[in-house]
Amino acid sequence: MAHSAVLIDGNSLMYRAFFALPALTDSKGAPTNAVYGFMGMLLKVLSDEQPEYAVVAFDVHGPTFRHERFSDYKGTRAPTPDELRPQFPMIKEILSAMHICILEKQRFEADDLIGTASRVFAESDIPSLIVTGDRDSFQLTGEKVSVLYTKRGITDTERITPAVIMDRYGITPAQLIDMKALCGDTSDNIPGIAGIGEKTAARLIAAYGDLESCLFHADTDEKGKLRERLLGGADTARLCRFLAEIDRNAPVAIDIESTRVHDIADAIPALTAHDLKTLAARLAALNAGYGMPTAEAPAEETEAAYAIADAEETDEKGFRTFIEELSGDDPAAITLSDSAVSCACSSRCAMLPLGGRSLLEPGIDRETALLLLRPLLESSRPKLICRAKELRREAARLGIEINGNVDDPSLAAYVADPQRKSFTAEALAEAEGINVKSGAASLFALDSHYRTVMEKAGTAHILEEIEKPLSSVLYSMEEAGFTADRGVLTELGGMFSDRISILTKEIRQYAGYEINIQSPKQLAVFLYDELGLKNGQRGASARSTSADILEAMADDHPVIDKILEYRKYTKLQGTYIEGLLKLLDTPGGDGRIHTRFDQTGTVTGRLSSLEPNLQNIPVRSELGRDIRRAFIAGPGCVLVDADYSQIELRVLAHMAHDEHMIDAFVSGEDIHRRTAAEIYGVPISEVTPQMRSAAKAVNFGIVYGISEFGLARNTGLTRKEASEFMEMYLKRYPAVGIFMHESVEKARQTGYTETMSGRRRYIRELKDPNRNIRAFGERAAMNSPIQGTAADIIKMAMINTARALTGMKSRLILQVHDELIIEAPAEEAEKAANILKEQMEAVIRLDAPLRADVSTGSNWMECK
């Protein structure tokens, strides 16, 4: 059905946007995240539906006619957050500038105004689409009215029609009122009849037709406790029906012609005034789509505007002059590679070769290049810098601070498509067919290109609200570093060396000669030729000595356990003990380990850690915990550590809408024990450790698209047992199976998967002719939405936590997967712990609520 009118539930969308998006402020410090999300949704609906008419309804502060009947109506609602309050007048200002009709009425809710508007439009034979996150509006659906329901956030929507309601509840839209009268609604504090849930209520209304008929038949046709509940709760049910029914005759005048969509681009100045320039550009494009004048639209930058064939190669004096001659406030682009430094404005580009400081190697070194750039870097001029965080760190070593707004094309490229081999300026320019000889000027074309891609995909907000602010947070964490205890590292190094020596002797005793244990070739001769072992593989893999192959052979010969243990100790010794001590011995060091966080290193959105990789320290082994003991709080400080509890399973439960999993998390049960009990059909008290272990393996494995072979390998089950277990699991949790299947099918149709925030991962493997590669693509399509959403959540939590710590001495110093660590002065530790837990748990609302476990200690090991 083509819709000619859209009716927006203003309060619903503002709240959804506020809780779905991380904190965002304009240049004046005013919060704008709810406005951004609301407008993004509104523009998408206008673009998709092309309605002739539009109305936005808002609640008015104060009691409604429902409160007059029941004072506790909506009594459980939390007060409006302080950061959200000022955004309501802001959005109304923008809507007014768009000439969008706003409806408000004292004593009436937005639902009543929307209900009244939908009736008025229907009576004029104008179909309407209600946009809301409130299920109450489902009762309004009919021949001329449907609902676009924002299930969660602002991008996950569902079209609701009478057919959908009948399929889901077995009743008509009007009967939803009677159903709610029986089961109530906790979100509105409508009590309903105690003990009657939604399914029972729907069944009763389907059987009897309406509330009064249900109450009339209760005495004769119902039995037991249900009969008692219906008879005892009749008056309550009648009250609840009054509260649940939307008034479609609210006393508000609606002139249809005054709701016509027109001249929406008049709101562009209002958007740009709040630094919502991306939305302003979308509004201008939408205005053009409606066939309206676009003279006031901001001029679009195109690659042609920066079509510079080659950068002008110059010497040190010419480069310095070029920078000094830059004028105005137009953006400048800067690149600093191993071979050249380049700087560009919109019309010119200069390039200075780098090299040694000798006659044989003309040119200047990187330090001199940065000092030449200093006036530009420290100016307030907007800048384009590829991999800006790295340049910021390098400049800081010379006392240079990069000021002004900095946009990073590498982050834009990552949001546009994370599956790239490299995110350097040269690699990106080459990939997009841009002349690499244009130097820094290529950044203008790259930035323009990726912004166009993001606008079309609807992912620009991920760059502006997550990746860009996160880059500053990560830079601060890298600069802060993590204090390491040299004494503990030396002690562990001695212990590890002793154990390595013992294992070396034991392995060589089995071999009978001085075998080089680190040589895969010698090891293969020893295992497969001299000992005659078989690993069950074919081809080159038949002589493999990889860890997974040896682990599968562990029972075949006692030397294999020795080899695996030797590898474990040598890796820890070389990577962490020797590696960390070497970093501590760096001239000019501060006794702290400064890892680097790579924002573009994974395809799922997760961060990775480099030089050293602190994310690879084993968490569950005693050896890994020993290494964590070497990471300590600075003088007078303690470590505050918070770790998300089973975040990916909670995301899975939420995205799959699985009521059983959600209920387990809401009630605080052990999810693995609960899963085992449901799959094996036994009481929770009878679940054995083996049952729980198998359930845990499939719970976590399902997130990664585990196969029956993988489950068998992880649990010790046979292939047949693993297959049967997975079959039982999916029968008990059908919503999970449906979600996984739909994720793969959606990726096949669209070519990509999406996280809850809209981050995309393109799954090109699904179209590969190789069956194994296609199978990998299917697993990626299953797990990417879950892992990616978890990654977005931890990133937003980092941003919000860093902001909440502003003004305190406490600071974030490390992120490892789902774990955040703050170094806090002892006197701030309790406050910092409260902030960390609050920000991590409140960053987004899931049906399976987020839980962060917080601990403190003088070293990292004590925090667990």
Side-chain angles (χ1 to χ4, degrees):
M1 177 173 66
H3 296 280
S4 293
V6 293
L7 313 177
I8 311 287
D9 185 337
N11 285 72
S12 173
L13 258 63
M14 286 290 282
Y15 269 86
R16 291 269 169 160
F18 179 79
F19 288 109
L21 301 178
L24 179 69
T25 58
D26 62 18
S27 58
K28 303 179 186 67
T32 57
N33 64 326
V35 172
Y36 186 96
F38 179 101
M39 285 299 300
M41 184 66 181
L42 174 61
L43 294 181
K44 185 177 189 306
V45 170
L46 293 178
S47 176
D48 291 348
E49 306 297 333
Q50 292 286 304
E52 298 172 59
Y53 311 97
V55 171
V56 180
F58 289 98
D59 294 335
V60 176
H61 182 68
T64 67
F65 68 87
R66 294 179 178 87
H67 290 93
E68 295 167 4
R69 181 84 172 267
F70 181 56
S71 60
D72 286 337
Y73 176 65
K74 293 190 175 180
T76 55
R77 293 281 180 94
T80 304
D82 291 339
E83 295 83 359
L84 178 56
R85 290 182 186 277
Q87 298 190 62
F88 278 100
M90 196 182 301
I91 193 63
K92 291 175 185 177
E93 170 200 350
I94 295 169
L95 290 172
S96 296
M98 289 179 70
H99 309 289
I100 298 290
C101 175
I102 296 175
L103 292 180
E104 296 176 297
K105 188 69 176 179
Q106 202 74 41
R107 296 182 62 252
F108 290 85
E109 297 179 69
D111 284 349
D112 302 311
L113 307 181
I114 287 174
T116 302
S118 68
R119 175 186 58 78
V120 171
F121 280 110
E123 289 172 352
S124 297
D125 200 31
I126 299 174
S128 57
L129 174 70
I130 298 170
V131 184
T132 181
D134 190 343
R135 294 197 304 169
D136 291 344
S137 63
F138 291 5
Q139 64 184 264
L140 300 173
T141 59
E143 182 184 355
K144 295 291 183 182
V145 182
S146 61
V147 170
L148 185 65
Y149 175 54
T150 55
K151 294 192 290 187
R152 52 183 51 83
I154 56 174
T155 58
D156 186 3
T157 60
E158 179 183 15
R159 188 83 55 154
I160 304 296
T161 63
V164 171
I165 292 169
M166 179 59 69
D167 182 63
R168 183 172 302 174
Y169 301 104
I171 56 180
T172 66
Q175 289 175 315
L176 288 173
I177 307 168
D178 300 276
M179 182 190 83
K180 192 169 179 179
L182 291 173
C183 65
D185 184 348
T186 55
S187 66
D188 288 340
N189 200 31
I190 297 177
I193 297 178
I196 295 183
E198 190 174 273
K199 290 182 179 179
T200 300
R203 177 181 62 80
L204 289 169
I205 297 304
Y208 299 118
D210 57 31
L211 175 63
E212 290 303 327
S213 295
C214 177
L215 297 176
F216 176 81
H217 287 278
D219 191 26
T220 56
D221 296 349
E222 297 297 333
K223 299 177 182 179
K225 288 187 177 180
L226 181 56
R227 173 181 176 276
E228 294 174 9
R229 288 167 178 164
L230 287 169
L231 293 176
D235 290 339
T236 299
R238 292 185 177 100
L239 167 64
C240 293
R241 192 189 189 288
F242 169 81
L243 299 175
E245 185 174 15
I246 292 175
D247 187 347
R248 302 190 68 183
N249 293 285
V252 58
I254 299 176
D255 175 19
I256 290 179
E257 190 57 33
S258 69
T259 69
R260 187 179 294 277
V261 178
H262 68 96
D263 299 325
I264 55 177
D266 288 350
I268 288 174
L271 289 169
T272 55
H274 295 292
D275 301 321
L276 301 173
K277 297 177 182 178
T278 300
L279 292 173
R282 287 180 61 187
L283 181 59
L286 178 61
N287 197 61
Y290 265 94
M292 300 174 188
T294 57
E296 296 189 40
E300 293 187 10
E301 296 176 348
T302 63
E303 294 183 14
Y306 307 104
I308 301 174
D310 293 323
E312 303 167 13
E313 191 168 311
T314 184
D315 57 14
E316 183 175 340
K317 181 179 179 181
F319 192 74
R320 186 191 303 274
T321 301
F322 176 84
I323 293 174
E324 290 174 351
E325 290 177 349
L326 290 177
S327 60
D329 296 323
D330 291 337
I334 301 164
T335 60
L336 181 57
S337 67
D338 293 335
S339 60
V341 57
S342 178
C343 181
C345 58
S346 60
S347 58
R348 291 179 57 209
C349 183
M351 182 181 291
L352 175 60
L354 300 186
R357 298 286 277 174
S358 71
L359 295 176
L360 295 177
E361 291 182 290
I364 63 171
D365 55 31
R366 290 177 66 88
E367 181 176 316
T368 303
L370 278 168
L371 292 172
L372 286 172
L373 288 169
R374 183 173 199 152
L376 178 58
L377 294 173
E378 294 187 337
S379 74
S380 60
R381 176 192 291 268
K383 303 169 187 69
L384 283 175
I385 304 175
C386 204
R387 305 189 76 79
K389 179 163 65 69
E390 285 77 1
L391 186 63
R392 188 185 298 274
R393 183 177 59 251
E394 193 174 352
R397 303 292 181 267
L398 300 173
I400 300 171
E401 182 177 357
I402 299 180
N403 297 316
N405 180 66
V406 176
D407 284 309
D408 187 339
S410 70
L411 296 182
Y414 181 65
V415 172
D417 185 357
Q419 290 180 288
R420 298 173 184 272
K421 293 181 179 179
S422 174
F423 289 87
T424 64
E426 295 87 348
L428 294 175
E430 184 175 356
E432 303 304 339
I434 298 171
N435 183 7
V436 295
K437 293 183 180 180
S438 62
S442 67
L443 299 189
F444 291 114
L446 287 170
D447 185 65
S448 176
H449 169 69
Y450 293 131
R451 288 187 181 279
T452 299
V453 171
M454 289 186 293
E455 285 299 327
K456 290 180 179 178
T459 57
H461 66 283
I462 296 174
L463 173 66
E464 297 298 330
E465 299 161 15
I466 300 180
E467 298 301 343
K468 187 174 175 180
L470 179 68
S471 181
S472 297
V473 174
L474 294 177
Y475 171 74
S476 298
M477 292 167 64
E478 292 173 353
E479 289 297 288
F482 203 151
T483 301
D485 189 323
R486 182 186 298 275
V488 172
L489 290 172
T490 302
E491 172 196 339
L492 290 174
M495 293 169 52
F496 291 178
S497 293
D498 291 344
R499 185 57 185 161
I500 290 169
S501 296
I502 292 171
L503 290 167
T504 300
K505 291 178 182 178
E506 292 176 344
I507 294 168
R508 287 175 174 172
Q509 284 176 354
Y510 280 107
Y513 59 92
E514 296 288 306
I515 182 175
N516 181 355
I517 306 168
Q518 296 189 25
S519 167
K521 184 176 181 180
Q522 291 190 32
L523 209 55
V525 170
F526 169 51
L527 295 175
Y528 300 120
D529 297 336
E530 297 173 7
L531 294 181
L533 300 178
K534 305 290 183 183
N535 65 19
Q537 303 295 312
R538 297 179 181 178
S541 297
R543 298 182 64 80
S544 172
T545 60
S546 63
D548 58 337
I549 294 292
L550 294 186
E551 286 171 0
M553 299 169 60
D555 294 334
D556 296 348
H557 197 285
V559 75
I560 294 178
D561 276 337
K562 302 289 184 183
I563 294 170
L564 290 171
E565 187 179 0
Y566 171 89
R567 286 182 173 178
K568 177 172 61 178
Y569 273 100
T570 53
K571 180 179 180 180
L572 292 174
Q573 176 79 312
T575 303
Y576 294 107
I577 304 303
E578 295 175 0
L580 293 175
L581 286 172
K582 183 178 180 180
L583 289 172
L584 290 178
D585 291 334
T586 301
D590 57 359
R592 298 175 75 93
I593 301 298
H594 299 268
T595 188
R596 290 195 298 112
F597 295 100
D598 188 351
Q599 269 181 275
T600 62
T602 71
V603 296
T604 60
R606 279 196 175 275
L607 296 170
S608 56
S609 168
L610 306 167
E611 301 176 358
N613 184 353
L614 298 184
Q615 296 187 341
N616 268 6
I617 297 176
V619 178
R620 296 176 179 84
S621 71
E622 184 176 346
L623 294 176
R625 289 191 290 272
D626 276 340
I627 292 175
R628 286 189 168 209
R629 181 163 57 92
F631 288 87
I632 62 175
C637 293
V638 296
L639 299 179
V640 179
D641 183 298
D643 196 357
Y644 275 125
S645 171
Q646 300 165 333
I647 184 173
E648 289 183 340
L649 285 179
R650 293 170 189 268
V651 169
L652 171 62
H654 177 89
M655 296 186 76
H657 314 301
D658 192 285
E659 295 180 0
H660 296 286
M661 293 184 75
I662 291 169
D663 181 63
F665 282 120
V666 170
S667 60
E669 290 183 282
D670 180 331
I671 183 66
H672 306 309
R673 189 172 296 278
R674 165 78 172 264
T675 299
E678 294 189 343
I679 291 176
Y680 287 106
V682 300
I684 288 182
S685 60
E686 296 180 14
V687 171
T688 66
Q690 292 78 14
M691 291 177 179
R692 184 184 184 278
S693 178
K696 181 178 180 179
V698 74
N699 264 335
F700 283 119
I702 205 76
V703 175
Y704 296 92
I706 196 170
S707 64
E708 61 187 43
F709 173 77
L711 180 61
R713 184 180 60 189
N714 293 347
T715 60
L717 297 170
T718 66
R719 288 280 295 272
K720 182 179 179 183
E721 289 171 337
S723 177
E724 291 173 349
F725 191 93
M726 290 187 69
E727 186 177 347
M728 288 190 295
Y729 183 96
L730 294 176
K731 283 183 179 178
R732 195 67 189 90
Y733 297 106
V736 172
I738 292 171
F739 172 74
M740 294 298 184
H741 174 74
E742 289 180 347
S743 295
V744 175
E745 290 308 306
K746 180 181 177 182
R748 281 201 178 99
Q749 293 170 13
T750 64
Y752 57 83
T753 64
E754 285 185 306
T755 67
M756 284 176 59
S757 69
R759 184 188 298 273
R760 291 185 178 184
R761 175 183 176 181
Y762 292 89
I763 313 292
R764 300 176 178 90
E765 295 85 353
L766 288 172
K767 295 183 178 180
D768 197 282
N770 185 297
R771 180 171 59 86
N772 291 330
I773 295 177
R774 287 199 308 275
F776 168 82
E778 290 175 358
R779 292 194 298 274
M782 292 178 193
N783 64 50
S784 291
I786 302 164
Q787 293 181 49
T789 296
D792 286 341
I793 288 172
I794 192 76
K795 286 179 175 180
M796 292 187 291
M798 293 170 72
I799 296 167
N800 293 351
T801 298
R803 287 171 178 164
L805 291 174
T806 301
M808 298 173 61
K809 294 181 180 179
S810 302
R811 54 187 177 172
L812 276 170
I813 60 171
L814 189 64
Q815 181 267 351
V816 177
H817 304 307
D818 305 322
E819 179 182 7
L820 293 180
I821 300 177
I822 290 175
E823 184 178 60
E827 63 274 13
E828 289 185 357
E830 183 178 355
K831 182 178 179 181
N834 291 334
I835 287 174
L836 186 57
K837 182 177 180 65
E838 178 184 353
Q839 295 302 326
M840 290 180 71
E841 293 184 342
V843 67
I844 190 172
R845 288 186 175 180
L846 299 180
D847 292 338
L850 292 171
R851 193 186 86 193
D853 298 323
V854 182
S855 56
T856 59
S858 60
N859 64 60
W860 194 1
M861 186 183 73
E862 288 182 359
C863 292
K864 291 295 172 190

